[in-house]
Amino acid sequence: MAKNSLRERLTQFAALSYLLVLGGLVLAGPYGVLAWNENVSLLDKREQRITALSEQRDALSNQVKLLNPDHADPDLVTELMRENLNVAHPDEYIIDLNQP
């Protein structure tokens, strides 16, 4: 009878230990309750990043469409030439505002 009692207590102790470990994982595990808020905030940050990248992709797509060699937008071409190649019309005056 003492052997059965010891075996029963060991079984109960093992079951209780198992339940406590599972409870600990539910609270503090990688997918537990405490990690839930971190996962939600990370998801929000990634959704904001996706939104920003989508807007940037749309702007670049529009610029590519405007720079199509078959029918390029003259205003955009002129703006890019002035910005990247530092060109100007002969009758224009250039005032440098960044003088030391």
Side-chain angles (χ1 to χ4, degrees):
M1 189 122 185
K3 209 173 198 184
N4 284 341
S5 176
L6 181 62
R7 177 182 254 174
E8 207 173 290
R9 285 182 188 223
L10 284 175
T11 305
Q12 289 175 354
F13 179 73
L16 179 63
S17 298
Y18 183 71
L19 288 175
L20 288 175
V21 167
L22 284 179
L25 287 174
V26 165
L27 285 177
Y31 301 105
V33 174
L34 298 178
W36 188 258
N37 286 336
E38 183 180 339
N39 289 339
V40 168
S41 68
L42 186 62
L43 179 64
D44 289 341
K45 287 179 186 176
R46 287 184 178 166
E47 286 176 347
Q48 290 173 356
R49 176 91 170 124
I50 287 172
T51 302
L53 288 174
S54 296
E55 290 173 1
Q56 184 180 7
R57 182 197 62 214
D58 293 341
L60 289 173
S61 174
N62 185 36
Q63 193 172 20
V64 166
K65 185 178 84 174
L66 291 174
L67 289 174
N68 186 352
D70 294 335
H71 51 280
D73 182 36
D75 292 333
L76 182 60
V77 170
T78 304
E79 177 185 338
L80 289 175
M81 282 180 52
R82 290 174 188 250
E83 182 179 320
N84 295 330
L85 301 176
N86 294 325
V87 296
H89 289 289
D91 60 344
E92 291 181 333
Y93 294 102
I94 299 173
I95 301 172
D96 188 11
L97 298 176
N98 296 326
Q99 293 179 356

